[in-house]
Amino acid sequence: MEDLNEVYLSPLPDSPYVKPFRFNYTQNGKKKTWDLLEIHDSVAIIVFNITRRVMIFVKQFRPAVYYNCISRQDRESNNIDTKKYPASLGVSLEVCAGIIDKNMPVEQIAKEEVLEECGYDVKVTDLQKVLAYRSGVGVEGAVQYMFYCEVTDDMKTEQGGGVDDEIIEVVEKTIPEIEEMLQSQSILPSPPSMVYALMWFIHHKADKFRKTFERTCVECKVK
Amino acid sequence: MEDLNEVYLSPLPDSPYVKPFRFNYTQNGKKKTWDLLEIHDSVAIIVFNITRRVMIFVKQFRPAVYYNCISRQDRESNNIDTKKYPASLGVSLEVCAGIIDKNMPVEQIAKEEVLEECGYDVKVTDLQKVLAYRSGVGVEGAVQYMFYCEVTDDMKTEQGGGVDDEIIEVVEKTIPEIEEMLQSQSILPSPPSMVYALMWFIHHKADKFRKTFERTCVECKVK
């Protein structure tokens, strides 16, 4: 994942992914403009493996994160120096997610993403709705639908890691590791939807999966 | 806020806010491209008024949210029909936030946003760091720094509502109202950072501000 070179920026051609335009409007009698972007709606899925009591994450190189680690001055250069800016700067940690670019129910899209990215074959009915929100309100305002699903080792029928050119690493974290992440003051390789997902899981689901020894009283050793 | 007309889209000119480009790279020997966007880093501030025990929110018309409520077919039209698509569709509910477009400490930017948007004059030292995360990982990867601050009615020295052309309404919500929002399966006028902010507040701060009558046992009337 971290073998990165020949990094350079070029003007945006006609792109199926990023469609910027100017939104013109008159609000309370005053003419205004706002520059924004058309992007796809998306799904995000919190996947928890109940066999081994670990949450399933995906790690991948994200050009948008990497780019934002480069100083303004160095962005002007023709070629980005990947020794000064190693690929690891752009590696994000996220919950399984994907854009809605097919005409099918969101649950079906979510099911396919869990299989493609994480390798687990879940049923549409295994998916619990968590929340729908705007992925952004500034330059992009698409909807993201968040789901939760529990999986077992038996349901891991494929390798995961994405399709086509995608290079995605599946990562597992225990409940104490998730709690540690939430205690941190900085979670820079991740978007706020992931932080929300972690908090939602800890407060709605984690208790029934905590291992008994985590609950043992340190003073009296009583479980 | 909801008097909206003359809505139309036009091509993006050279914009100080939205700078799209193509990121070219070679990962594990394979040439790839990713289309993305340069945007500013930002701050977000959870403001809680301890005099009246209410959280302070901002409501505003967000073109990006409004645009995403318009059907694909109607987006092609020269003028968007504001009778069919009233402004209320694009009105978001958010915590106080702003972009970092001045060369000063993030805490100072946060302080100014709280004053401009909400009207409260807080000290930089009143701001507690909550979390820094990526505002997105897909097409934009800027950092957002989240803070928390407590204010009193005495600190409300200005009207709030934004500067220049901004039309921002300051909205207050009680702790039970926040909890109700978090129970909902859809929070479509809001971004995930706000949902995280609500959850963070409920689990880290709310208990000490709950009014006693909220804790009265319904069965026995004992407080």
Side-chain angles (χ1 to χ4, degrees):
Chain A
M1 185 182 300
E2 299 190 6
D3 168 16
L4 178 74
N5 47 60
E6 289 176 57
V7 175
Y8 63 95
L9 313 179
S10 58
L12 185 75
D14 187 33
S15 163
Y17 303 106
V18 170
K19 292 178 181 161
F21 59 90
R22 176 158 283 189
F23 181 93
N24 306 270
Y25 62 117
T26 300
Q27 188 184 16
N28 291 11
K30 194 151 193 172
K31 277 186 194 299
K32 298 182 175 186
T33 63
W34 193 273
D35 296 334
L36 53 80
L37 198 70
E38 180 173 325
I39 61 159
H40 286 95
D41 287 346
S42 60
V43 294
I45 312 102
I46 308 169
V47 181
F48 191 76
N49 179 317
I50 61 175
T51 311
R52 281 172 299 106
R53 302 180 187 188
V54 285
M55 194 183 278
I56 311 296
F57 295 87
V58 290
K59 256 174 102 167
Q60 58 192 311
F61 176 73
R62 288 293 206 171
V65 173
Y66 179 81
Y67 174 77
N68 275 277
C69 296
I70 302 169
S71 74
R72 286 197 181 274
Q73 197 180 347
D74 288 341
R75 286 178 192 173
E76 306 296 324
S77 138
N78 274 344
N79 277 283
I80 305 298
D81 179 353
T82 54
K83 288 221 167 42
K84 184 171 177 185
Y85 298 106
S88 56
L89 292 171
V91 175
S92 70
L93 186 69
E94 303 166 45
V95 298
C96 174
I99 58 171
I100 301 177
D101 56 356
K102 292 172 202 155
N103 188 19
M104 53 169 75
V106 286
E107 287 80 2
Q108 185 63 28
I109 304 260
K111 171 199 156 67
E112 290 184 9
E113 285 297 336
V114 175
L115 187 62
E116 286 169 13
E117 290 196 348
C118 307
Y120 290 93
D121 191 10
V122 301
K123 294 197 194 77
V124 162
T125 49
D126 294 336
L127 294 161
Q128 175 188 341
K129 275 183 196 166
V130 174
L131 191 68
Y133 46 81
R134 296 280 156 193
S135 54
V137 289
V139 291
E140 53 178 83
V143 180
Q144 184 165 72
Y145 301 88
M146 186 175 277
F147 295 93
Y148 168 69
C149 75
E150 291 171 4
V151 298
T152 60
D153 276 351
D154 291 344
M155 292 159 78
K156 187 132 200 299
T157 57
E158 293 187 22
Q159 189 65 32
V163 289
D164 304 329
D165 271 6
E166 289 183 316
I167 302 178
I168 291 175
E169 188 187 332
V170 181
V171 174
E172 301 182 341
K173 300 239 179 234
T174 62
I175 294 174
E177 283 171 332
I178 295 168
E179 285 172 321
E180 199 176 312
M181 285 161 73
L182 280 172
Q183 310 260 309
S184 162
Q185 277 201 340
S186 168
I187 194 156
L188 277 187
S190 299
S193 55
M194 195 193 79
V195 200
Y196 167 69
L198 298 185
M199 246 188 140
W200 181 88
F201 174 79
I202 290 297
H203 291 289
H204 290 89
K205 299 287 176 183
D207 273 354
K208 63 174 172 167
F209 299 116
R210 281 179 212 276
K211 288 185 181 155
T212 323
F213 66 78
E214 287 165 22
R215 281 179 178 164
T216 308
C217 169
V218 218
E219 293 290 317
C220 64
K221 312 290 179 202
V222 167
K223 283 182 185 176
Chain B
M1 185 182 298
E2 299 190 6
D3 168 15
L4 178 74
N5 48 58
E6 288 176 60
V7 175
Y8 62 96
L9 313 178
S10 58
L12 185 75
D14 188 30
S15 163
Y17 303 106
V18 171
K19 293 177 181 163
F21 59 90
R22 176 158 284 189
F23 181 92
N24 305 269
Y25 62 116
T26 300
Q27 188 185 16
N28 291 12
K30 195 150 191 172
K31 276 186 194 300
K32 296 182 176 187
T33 63
W34 194 273
D35 296 334
L36 52 80
L37 199 68
E38 180 173 324
I39 61 160
H40 286 95
D41 287 345
S42 59
V43 294
I45 311 101
I46 308 169
V47 181
F48 191 75
N49 180 316
I50 62 175
T51 310
R52 281 171 300 107
R53 302 181 189 188
V54 285
M55 194 182 278
I56 311 297
F57 293 87
V58 290
K59 256 174 100 168
Q60 58 192 311
F61 176 73
R62 288 294 207 170
V65 173
Y66 179 80
Y67 174 77
N68 276 276
C69 296
I70 303 168
S71 74
R72 284 195 183 277
Q73 196 181 345
D74 288 341
R75 287 177 191 171
E76 306 297 324
S77 140
N78 275 343
N79 277 283
I80 305 297
D81 179 353
T82 55
K83 289 222 166 43
K84 183 169 178 186
Y85 298 105
S88 57
L89 292 172
V91 175
S92 69
L93 185 70
E94 303 166 45
V95 298
C96 172
I99 57 171
I100 301 177
D101 57 356
K102 292 172 202 155
N103 188 18
M104 52 171 73
V106 286
E107 287 81 2
Q108 185 64 28
I109 304 257
K111 172 199 155 66
E112 290 185 8
E113 286 297 337
V114 174
L115 187 63
E116 286 170 12
E117 290 195 349
C118 307
Y120 290 93
D121 191 10
V122 300
K123 294 197 193 77
V124 162
T125 48
D126 293 337
L127 295 161
Q128 174 188 342
K129 275 184 196 165
V130 174
L131 190 67
Y133 45 82
R134 295 282 156 193
S135 54
V137 289
V139 291
E140 53 178 84
V143 179
Q144 183 164 74
Y145 301 88
M146 184 174 277
F147 296 93
Y148 168 70
C149 75
E150 290 170 5
V151 299
T152 61
D153 276 351
D154 291 345
M155 292 159 79
K156 188 133 199 298
T157 58
E158 294 188 19
Q159 190 64 31
V163 289
D164 303 329
D165 272 3
E166 288 183 317
I167 302 177
I168 292 175
E169 187 188 332
V170 181
V171 174
E172 301 182 342
K173 300 236 178 238
T174 62
I175 294 174
E177 283 171 331
I178 294 168
E179 285 172 321
E180 199 175 311
M181 285 161 73
L182 280 172
Q183 310 258 308
S184 161
Q185 278 201 339
S186 169
I187 194 155
L188 276 186
S190 299
S193 54
M194 195 194 78
V195 199
Y196 166 69
L198 298 185
M199 246 189 140
W200 181 89
F201 174 79
I202 290 298
H203 291 289
H204 290 89
K205 300 286 175 184
D207 273 354
K208 63 174 172 167
F209 300 116
R210 280 178 213 277
K211 288 185 180 154
T212 323
F213 67 78
E214 287 165 23
R215 282 179 176 161
T216 308
C217 172
V218 216
E219 293 289 317
C220 64
K221 313 290 179 201
V222 166
K223 283 184 185 175

